[in-house]
Amino acid sequence: MILKEVKLLKNINNRQFPFTLPIMRDFNQLSFKKPITILVGENGSGKSTFLEGIAASSDLPIAGGIEISQDKELEHAQILAEAFKLSWMQKTKNGFFLRAEDFISFVRRIKSMKQDAEEELRNIEIEYTNKSAFAKGLASMPHARTLTELNKLYNEGLDVRSHGESFLDYFQARIRPNGLYLLDEPETPLSPMRQLSLISIILEAVKEDSQFIIITHSPILMALPEAEIYSFDVHPPQLIQYEDIEHVQITKNFLDSPQSFLRHL
């Protein structure tokens, strides 16, 4: 285990968001006793805000290397982080906080970096036509290094593969041993088969002492072996069994008899 527990300190301003959320009024602490923790609950239950506060408090970057302090949409996470106290088994610098929209922005940024490096190399070929090979090589070196590093991490590039494939490529390239990974609805770009692939990646990372805290609406990801599942539909959050999760029950009942649901719409 890396992160053991998160506590909410007292004497906070209950009139300021995010402390106005019902989950915060009743929250005291939440312990992590297994390498995988799943947070479930309806939209608006406070799961994402809670995870953002952990990310800010632990100084984890947003996927792609941006610091949470640089994202104006996450100012409330900084506020919450000041009220959180995290207890660690071992503090780690490995890991990241990921939302689906962050990954889309990251892919665009990687594509732009690659295009810029390629453009600079073309310009150098023209500008250094009458100069020595040494001078040309020296000017080209940083841009060539950028392309080499991107190709090493992502092969032909995240932007030329399907969204789901590139999402999994990102994980395989960025997951490190002894890392803490906070994932907010990672199933968004993934088909059911790709979700199973993600489960495989997560389980391999757990073998290398990584820890995951995952928000999901996917009954597939909720079934991650040995995971502890907390329901945010009750205050304070409580442990819940997989078969008792409302998402699981509704999905199972719908698949058993879809028409019994659809005829009432």
Side-chain angles (χ1 to χ4, degrees):
M1 296 299 299
I2 296 172
L3 179 62
K4 293 195 306 180
E5 185 180 67
V6 55
K7 287 185 177 181
L8 183 64
L9 303 177
K10 300 303 179 182
N11 300 320
I12 57 177
N13 182 1
N14 291 326
R15 296 182 180 180
Q16 181 183 25
F17 182 83
F19 305 115
T20 52
L21 290 170
I23 194 71
M24 295 303 171
R25 290 197 291 268
D26 299 315
F27 182 78
N28 182 29
Q29 65 184 51
L30 191 147
S31 298
F32 305 103
K33 298 180 180 179
K34 294 188 177 182
I36 303 173
T37 304
I38 307 290
L39 311 182
V40 302
E42 276 300 326
N43 295 331
S45 61
K47 308 182 302 298
S48 293
T49 302
F50 178 78
L51 196 65
E52 290 161 359
I54 294 177
S57 186
S58 59
D59 294 324
L60 285 180
I62 299 173
I66 299 175
E67 300 299 324
I68 288 182
S69 59
Q70 297 175 305
D71 191 331
K72 293 184 178 180
E73 293 182 0
L74 290 175
E75 289 180 353
H76 62 274
Q78 297 283 2
I79 296 172
L80 185 57
E82 295 176 2
F84 273 173
K85 180 181 180 181
L86 305 187
S87 298
W88 303 88
M89 282 288 288
Q90 52 174 326
K91 189 72 181 289
T92 180
K93 293 183 179 179
N94 294 336
F96 52 74
F97 167 58
L98 174 66
R99 301 168 296 179
E101 60 267 31
D102 296 324
F103 176 71
I104 295 172
S105 298
F106 176 70
V107 171
R108 290 172 180 164
R109 189 162 61 254
I110 291 295
K111 182 178 181 180
S112 178
M113 289 172 61
K114 186 175 181 180
Q115 290 174 339
D116 289 346
E118 291 170 341
E119 179 66 23
E120 288 297 330
L121 289 176
R122 286 192 292 268
N123 291 337
I124 289 169
E125 284 293 327
I126 296 172
E127 294 173 8
Y128 284 72
T129 300
N130 299 320
K131 296 183 180 181
S132 69
F134 177 78
K136 182 188 294 186
L138 198 62
S140 301
M141 188 180 299
H143 311 296
R145 185 185 297 117
T146 295
L147 290 176
T148 299
E149 290 175 351
L150 291 178
N151 288 332
K152 182 179 179 181
L153 282 172
Y154 308 114
N155 297 317
E156 70 269 30
L158 298 176
D159 55 298
V160 299
R161 293 166 65 78
S162 73
H163 196 176
E165 289 175 325
S166 62
F167 190 84
L168 293 178
D169 286 346
Y170 176 88
F171 268 84
Q172 290 175 321
R174 289 291 181 177
I175 293 290
R176 298 287 183 271
N178 300 299
L180 175 60
Y181 300 96
L182 311 179
L183 313 180
D184 192 347
E185 298 186 26
E187 73 273 13
T188 300
L190 301 176
S191 68
M193 186 61 70
R194 298 295 182 191
Q195 290 180 43
L196 293 175
S197 297
L198 177 60
I199 286 177
S200 178
I201 294 172
I202 291 172
L203 293 179
E204 286 300 313
V206 166
K207 292 178 183 178
E208 296 186 320
D209 299 320
S210 287
Q211 181 179 358
F212 292 81
I213 304 174
I214 305 170
I215 294 173
T216 183
H217 291 290
S218 167
I220 294 175
L221 293 188
M222 291 174 189
L224 269 157
E226 301 299 319
E228 281 195 327
I229 307 172
Y230 279 95
S231 172
F232 273 59
D233 287 331
V234 293
H235 305 153
Q238 299 292 325
L239 287 170
I240 187 171
Q241 296 299 311
Y242 176 79
E243 59 271 14
D244 294 329
I245 302 171
E246 186 179 40
H247 286 70
V248 173
Q249 294 175 344
I250 291 176
T251 300
K252 182 179 184 300
N253 292 336
F254 180 86
L255 293 176
D256 287 341
S257 181
Q259 292 306 318
S260 65
F261 283 80
L262 296 175
R263 66 168 172 259
H264 295 295
L265 298 180

